[in-house]
Coordinates of all heavy atoms in Angstrom, one line a residue:
T139 N 13.0 20.9 -0.2 CA 14.0 20.3 -1.2 C 13.8 21.0 -2.6 O 14.8 21.1 -3.3 CB 13.7 18.8 -1.3 OG1 13.8 18.2 0.1 CG2 14.6 18.0 -2.3
V140 N 12.6 21.1 -3.1 CA 12.3 21.6 -4.3 C 12.8 23.2 -4.5 O 13.2 23.5 -5.5 CB 10.9 21.6 -4.7 CG1 10.1 22.8 -4.1 CG2 10.6 21.6 -6.1
A141 N 12.9 23.8 -3.3 CA 13.5 25.2 -3.3 C 15.0 25.2 -3.2 O 15.6 26.2 -3.0 CB 12.8 26.0 -2.0
T142 N 15.7 23.9 -3.0 CA 17.0 23.7 -2.9 C 17.6 24.4 -1.8 O 18.7 24.9 -1.7 CB 17.8 24.1 -4.2 OG1 17.7 25.6 -4.5 CG2 17.2 23.4 -5.5
L143 N 16.8 24.6 -0.6 CA 17.4 25.2 0.5 C 18.3 24.3 1.3 O 19.4 24.7 1.9 CB 16.2 25.6 1.5 CG 15.3 26.7 0.9 CD1 14.1 27.1 2.0 CD2 16.1 28.0 0.8
G144 N 17.9 23.0 1.4 CA 18.9 22.0 2.0 C 19.0 22.2 3.6 O 20.2 22.4 4.1
L145 N 17.9 22.5 4.3 CA 18.1 22.8 5.8 C 18.7 21.8 6.5 O 19.4 21.9 7.6 CB 16.8 23.3 6.3 CG 16.1 24.6 5.7 CD1 14.8 25.0 6.3 CD2 17.1 25.8 5.7
G146 N 18.4 20.5 6.2 CA 19.1 19.3 6.8 C 18.5 18.9 8.2 O 18.9 17.9 8.6
D147 N 17.3 19.5 8.6 CA 16.7 19.0 9.8 C 15.9 17.7 9.6 O 15.8 16.9 10.6 CB 15.7 20.0 10.5 CG 14.7 20.6 9.5 OD1 15.0 20.4 8.3 OD2 13.8 21.2 9.9
I148 N 15.6 17.5 8.4 CA 14.9 16.2 8.1 C 15.7 15.6 6.8 O 15.9 16.2 5.8 CB 13.5 16.2 7.7 CG1 12.7 16.9 8.9 CG2 12.8 14.8 7.4 CD1 11.2 17.1 8.5
A149 N 16.2 14.4 6.9 CA 17.1 13.8 5.9 C 16.6 12.4 5.7 O 16.3 11.6 6.7 CB 18.5 13.8 6.2
P150 N 16.6 11.9 4.4 CA 16.2 10.5 4.1 C 17.3 9.6 4.7 O 18.5 9.9 4.6 CB 16.2 10.5 2.6 CG 16.9 11.6 2.1 CD 16.9 12.7 3.2
A151 N 16.8 8.4 5.1 CA 17.8 7.5 5.6 C 17.9 6.2 4.7 O 19.0 5.6 4.7 CB 17.4 7.0 7.1
E152 N 16.8 5.8 4.2 CA 16.8 4.7 3.2 C 17.5 5.0 2.0 O 17.4 6.2 1.4 CB 15.4 4.2 3.0 CG 14.7 3.6 4.2 CD 13.4 2.8 3.9 OE1 13.2 2.8 2.7 OE2 12.8 2.4 4.9
G153 N 18.1 4.0 1.3 CA 18.9 4.3 0.0 C 18.1 4.9 -1.1 O 18.6 5.8 -1.7
W154 N 17.0 4.3 -1.3 CA 16.2 4.8 -2.5 C 15.8 6.2 -2.4 O 15.7 7.0 -3.2 CB 15.0 3.8 -2.8 CG 13.9 4.0 -1.9 CD1 13.7 3.3 -0.7 CD2 12.8 4.8 -2.0 NE1 12.5 3.6 -0.1 CE2 11.9 4.5 -0.9 CE3 12.3 5.6 -2.9 CZ2 10.6 5.0 -0.7 CZ3 11.1 6.3 -2.8 CH2 10.4 6.0 -1.7
L155 N 15.5 6.5 -1.0 CA 15.0 7.9 -0.7 C 16.2 8.9 -0.9 O 16.0 10.1 -1.2 CB 14.4 8.1 0.7 CG 13.0 7.4 0.8 CD1 12.6 7.4 2.2 CD2 12.0 8.3 0.0
R156 N 17.4 8.4 -0.5 CA 18.5 9.3 -0.7 C 18.8 9.6 -2.1 O 19.5 10.6 -2.4 CB 19.8 8.5 0.0 CG 19.5 8.5 1.5 CD 20.7 7.8 2.2 NE 22.0 8.4 2.0 CZ 23.1 7.8 2.5 NH1 23.2 6.6 3.0 NH2 24.2 8.6 2.4
L157 N 18.3 8.8 -3.0 CA 18.5 9.0 -4.4 C 17.4 9.9 -4.9 O 17.6 10.7 -5.8 CB 18.5 7.7 -5.3 CG 19.7 6.9 -5.1 CD1 19.5 5.5 -5.8 CD2 21.1 7.5 -5.4
V158 N 16.2 9.7 -4.4 CA 15.0 10.5 -4.9 C 15.0 11.9 -4.5 O 14.7 12.8 -5.3 CB 13.7 9.8 -4.5 CG1 12.4 10.6 -4.7 CG2 13.5 8.5 -5.2
S159 N 15.4 12.2 -3.3 CA 15.4 13.5 -2.8 C 16.2 14.5 -3.6 O 15.9 15.6 -3.9 CB 16.0 13.5 -1.2 OG 15.7 14.8 -0.8
P160 N 17.5 14.0 -4.0 CA 18.3 15.1 -4.9 C 17.5 15.3 -6.2 O 17.9 16.3 -6.8 CB 19.6 14.3 -5.0 CG 19.9 13.6 -3.8 CD 18.3 13.0 -3.5
L161 N 16.9 14.3 -6.7 CA 16.2 14.4 -8.0 C 15.2 15.5 -7.8 O 14.9 16.4 -8.8 CB 15.6 13.1 -8.4 CG 16.4 12.0 -8.9 CD1 15.6 10.7 -9.2 CD2 17.3 12.5 -10.2
E162 N 14.5 15.6 -6.7 CA 13.4 16.6 -6.6 C 14.3 18.0 -6.6 O 13.7 19.0 -7.1 CB 12.8 16.5 -5.2 CG 11.7 17.6 -5.0 CD 11.0 17.5 -3.7 OE1 11.3 16.7 -2.9 OE2 9.9 18.2 -3.5
A163 N 15.3 18.1 -6.0 CA 16.1 19.4 -6.0 C 16.5 19.8 -7.4 O 16.4 20.9 -7.8 CB 17.4 19.3 -5.2
L164 N 16.8 18.7 -8.2 CA 17.2 19.1 -9.7 C 15.9 19.5 -10.5 O 16.0 20.5 -11.2 CB 17.7 17.8 -10.3 CG 19.1 17.4 -10.0 CD1 19.5 16.0 -10.5 CD2 20.1 18.5 -10.3
V165 N 14.8 18.8 -10.1 CA 13.5 19.4 -10.8 C 13.1 20.8 -10.4 O 12.6 21.6 -11.2 CB 12.3 18.4 -10.4 CG1 11.0 19.0 -10.9 CG2 12.6 17.0 -11.0
G166 N 13.4 21.2 -9.1 CA 13.2 22.5 -8.6 C 14.0 23.4 -9.4 O 13.6 24.6 -9.8
F167 N 15.2 23.1 -9.5 CA 16.2 23.9 -10.3 C 15.8 24.1 -11.7 O 15.9 25.2 -12.3 CB 17.6 23.5 -10.2 CG 18.6 24.3 -10.8 CD1 19.1 25.5 -10.1 CD2 19.2 24.0 -12.0 CE1 20.0 26.3 -10.9 CE2 20.1 24.8 -12.6 CZ 20.6 26.0 -12.0
A168 N 15.3 23.0 -12.3 CA 14.9 23.0 -13.7 C 13.7 24.0 -13.9 O 13.5 24.6 -14.9 CB 14.6 21.6 -14.2
L169 N 12.9 23.9 -12.9 CA 11.5 24.6 -12.9 C 11.9 26.1 -12.9 O 11.3 26.9 -13.6 CB 10.6 24.3 -11.8 CG 9.3 24.9 -11.7 CD1 8.5 24.7 -13.0 CD2 8.5 24.4 -10.5
L170 N 12.9 26.5 -12.0 CA 13.2 27.9 -11.9 C 13.9 28.3 -13.2 O 13.6 29.5 -13.7 CB 14.2 28.1 -10.7 CG 14.7 29.4 -10.5 CD1 13.7 30.5 -10.2 CD2 15.8 29.5 -9.4
T171 N 14.7 27.6 -13.9 CA 15.5 27.9 -15.0 C 14.4 28.0 -16.2 O 14.5 28.9 -16.9 CB 16.5 26.9 -15.3 OG1 17.5 26.7 -14.2 CG2 17.3 27.3 -16.6
A172 N 13.5 27.1 -16.2 CA 12.5 27.1 -17.3 C 11.6 28.3 -17.2 O 11.2 28.9 -18.3 CB 11.6 25.9 -17.2
T173 N 11.3 28.8 -15.9 CA 10.4 29.9 -15.9 C 11.1 31.1 -16.4 O 10.5 32.0 -17.1 CB 10.1 30.1 -14.3 OG1 9.4 29.0 -13.9 CG2 9.2 31.3 -14.1
V174 N 12.4 31.3 -16.0 CA 13.1 32.5 -16.5 C 13.3 32.4 -18.0 O 13.1 33.4 -18.6 CB 14.6 32.5 -15.8 CG1 15.4 33.6 -16.4 CG2 14.4 32.6 -14.3
S175 N 13.6 31.3 -18.6 CA 13.7 31.2 -20.0 C 12.3 31.4 -20.7 O 12.3 32.1 -21.9 CB 14.2 29.7 -20.3 OG 15.3 29.5 -19.8
W176 N 11.2 31.0 -20.1 CA 10.0 31.3 -20.7 C 9.7 32.8 -20.7 O 9.2 33.2 -21.9 CB 8.9 30.5 -19.8 CG 7.6 30.4 -20.5 CD1 7.3 30.5 -21.8 CD2 6.4 30.1 -19.8 NE1 6.1 30.1 -22.0 CE2 5.4 30.0 -20.7 CE3 5.9 29.9 -18.5 CZ2 4.0 29.6 -20.5 CZ3 4.7 29.5 -18.1 CH2 3.8 29.4 -19.2
V177 N 10.0 33.6 -19.7 CA 9.7 35.0 -19.7 C 10.6 35.6 -20.8 O 10.2 36.5 -21.6 CB 10.0 35.5 -18.3 CG1 10.0 36.9 -18.4 CG2 9.0 35.0 -17.3
L178 N 11.9 35.2 -20.9 CA 12.7 35.7 -21.9 C 12.4 35.4 -23.4 O 12.8 36.2 -24.1 CB 14.2 35.4 -21.5 CG 14.8 35.8 -20.2 CD1 16.2 35.1 -20.0 CD2 14.9 37.4 -20.1
E179 N 11.7 34.3 -23.5 CA 11.3 34.0 -24.8 C 10.0 34.6 -25.4 O 9.9 34.9 -26.5 CB 11.2 32.4 -25.0 CG 12.6 31.7 -24.9 CD 12.4 30.2 -24.9 OE1 11.1 29.7 -24.8 OE2 13.4 29.5 -25.1
I180 N 9.1 34.7 -24.5 CA 7.8 35.2 -24.9 C 7.7 36.7 -25.3 O 7.1 37.1 -26.2 CB 6.7 34.9 -23.7 CG1 5.3 35.3 -24.2 CG2 7.1 35.7 -22.4 CD1 4.8 34.4 -25.3
Y181 N 8.5 37.5 -24.5 CA 8.4 38.9 -24.8 C 9.0 39.3 -26.0 O 8.5 40.3 -26.7 CB 9.0 39.8 -23.6 CG 8.0 39.8 -22.5 CD1 8.1 38.9 -21.4 CD2 6.9 40.7 -22.4 CE1 7.1 38.9 -20.3 CE2 6.0 40.7 -21.5 CZ 6.1 39.8 -20.4 OH 5.1 39.9 -19.4
P182 N 10.1 38.7 -26.6 CA 10.4 39.1 -28.0 C 9.4 38.7 -29.0 O 9.2 39.5 -29.9 CB 11.7 38.3 -28.1 CG 12.3 38.1 -26.9 CD 11.1 38.1 -26.0
A183 N 8.6 37.6 -28.8 CA 7.6 37.3 -29.7 C 6.5 38.2 -29.7 O 5.9 38.6 -30.7 CB 7.0 35.8 -29.3
L184 N 6.1 38.8 -28.5 CA 5.2 39.8 -28.4 C 5.6 41.1 -29.0 O 4.8 41.8 -29.7 CB 4.9 40.1 -26.9 CG 4.2 39.0 -26.2 CD1 4.1 39.3 -24.7 CD2 2.9 38.5 -26.7
T185 N 6.9 41.4 -28.9 CA 7.5 42.5 -29.6 C 7.3 42.4 -31.1 O 7.0 43.5 -31.8 CB 8.9 42.8 -29.2 OG1 9.1 42.9 -27.8 CG2 9.4 44.0 -30.0
R186 N 7.7 41.3 -31.7 CA 7.5 41.1 -33.2 C 6.0 41.3 -33.6 O 5.8 41.9 -34.6 CB 7.9 39.6 -33.6 CG 9.4 39.6 -33.5 CD 10.0 38.3 -34.1 NE 9.6 37.1 -33.2 CZ 10.4 36.6 -32.3 NH1 11.5 37.3 -32.0 NH2 9.9 35.5 -31.5
R187 N 5.1 40.8 -32.9 CA 3.7 40.9 -33.2 C 3.2 42.3 -33.1 O 2.4 42.9 -33.9 CB 2.8 40.1 -32.2 CG 1.3 40.0 -32.6 CD 0.6 39.2 -31.7 NE 0.3 39.7 -30.4 CZ -0.2 39.1 -29.4 NH1 -0.6 37.8 -29.5 NH2 -0.4 39.7 -28.2
R188 N 3.8 43.0 -32.0 CA 3.3 44.5 -31.8 C 3.9 45.4 -33.0 O 3.3 46.3 -33.5 CB 3.9 45.0 -30.5 CG 3.4 46.4 -30.1 CD 2.0 46.2 -29.6 NE 1.4 47.5 -29.2 CZ 0.5 48.1 -29.7 NH1 -0.1 47.5 -30.9 NH2 0.1 49.3 -29.4
V189 N 5.1 45.0 -33.5 CA 5.8 45.9 -34.5 C 4.9 45.7 -35.8 O 4.8 46.6 -36.6 CB 7.2 45.3 -34.8 CG1 7.7 45.9 -36.0 CG2 8.2 45.8 -33.5
L190 N 4.6 44.5 -36.1 CA 3.6 44.2 -37.2 C 2.4 44.9 -37.2 O 2.0 45.5 -38.2 CB 3.4 42.8 -37.5 CG 2.5 42.3 -38.6 CD1 2.9 42.8 -39.8 CD2 2.2 40.8 -38.6
A191 N 1.8 44.8 -36.0 CA 0.5 45.6 -35.9 C 0.6 47.1 -36.0 O -0.2 47.7 -36.7 CB -0.1 45.1 -34.5
I192 N 1.6 47.7 -35.4 CA 1.8 49.1 -35.5 C 2.1 49.6 -37.0 O 1.6 50.5 -37.5 CB 2.9 49.7 -34.5 CG1 2.3 49.4 -33.1 CG2 3.2 51.1 -34.9 CD1 3.5 49.8 -32.1
R193 N 3.0 48.7 -37.6 CA 3.2 49.0 -39.0 C 2.0 49.0 -39.9 O 1.8 49.9 -40.8 CB 4.3 48.0 -39.5 CG 4.9 48.4 -40.9 CD 5.8 47.4 -41.4 NE 6.5 47.8 -42.6 CZ 7.2 46.9 -43.4 NH1 7.4 45.7 -43.0 NH2 7.7 47.3 -44.6
L194 N 1.1 48.0 -39.6 CA 0.0 47.9 -40.4 C -1.0 49.1 -40.1 O -1.7 49.6 -41.0 CB -0.8 46.6 -40.1 CG -0.2 45.4 -40.8 CD1 -0.9 44.0 -40.3 CD2 -0.3 45.4 -42.4
A195 N -1.0 49.4 -38.8 CA -1.9 50.6 -38.4 C -1.4 51.8 -39.1 O -2.2 52.7 -39.6 CB -1.9 50.8 -36.9
L196 N -0.1 52.0 -39.3 CA 0.5 53.2 -39.9 C 0.1 53.2 -41.3 O -0.3 54.3 -42.1 CB 2.0 53.4 -39.7 CG 2.4 53.5 -38.2 CD1 4.0 53.5 -38.2 CD2 2.0 54.9 -37.8
L197 N 0.2 52.0 -42.0 CA -0.1 52.0 -43.4 C -1.6 52.2 -43.6 O -2.0 52.8 -44.6 CB 0.2 50.5 -43.9 CG 1.8 50.2 -44.2 CD1 1.9 48.8 -44.4 CD2 2.2 51.2 -45.4
R198 N -2.4 51.8 -42.7 CA -3.9 52.0 -42.9 C -4.2 53.3 -42.7 O -5.0 54.0 -43.5 CB -4.6 51.2 -41.8 CG -6.1 51.2 -41.7 CD -6.7 50.6 -40.5 NE -6.1 51.2 -39.3 CZ -6.2 50.8 -38.1 NH1 -6.9 49.6 -37.9 NH2 -5.8 51.4 -37.0
D199 N -3.5 54.1 -41.8 CA -3.8 55.5 -41.6 C -3.4 56.3 -42.8 O -4.0 57.4 -43.2 CB -3.1 56.0 -40.4 CG -3.8 55.4 -39.2 OD1 -4.9 54.9 -39.2 OD2 -3.0 55.4 -38.1
S200 N -2.1 56.0 -43.5 CA -1.7 56.7 -44.7 C -2.4 56.3 -45.9 O -2.4 57.1 -46.8 CB -0.2 56.4 -44.9 OG 0.1 55.0 -45.1
D201 N -2.9 55.2 -45.9 CA -3.8 54.7 -47.0 C -3.1 54.8 -48.4 O -3.7 55.8 -49.2 CB -5.2 55.3 -47.0 CG -6.1 54.6 -47.9 OD1 -6.0 53.5 -48.3 OD2 -7.1 55.3 -48.3

Side-chain angles (χ1 to χ4, degrees):
T139 304
V140 82
T142 66
L143 293 177
L145 298 181
D147 52 341
I148 304 178
E152 291 189 4
W154 72 274
L155 285 170
R156 295 174 66 184
L157 294 176
V158 167
S159 185
L161 286 178
E162 183 182 7
L164 289 176
V165 170
F167 182 76
L169 181 59
L170 175 61
T171 304
T173 301
V174 175
S175 300
W176 197 16
V177 173
L178 294 178
E179 288 177 349
I180 187 63
Y181 280 97
L184 296 175
T185 299
R186 288 189 288 270
R187 188 177 76 188
R188 191 77 182 114
V189 168
L190 173 61
I192 292 177
R193 190 180 182 194
L194 288 171
L196 292 173
L197 284 169
R198 181 190 59 195
D199 294 341
S200 62
D201 192 21

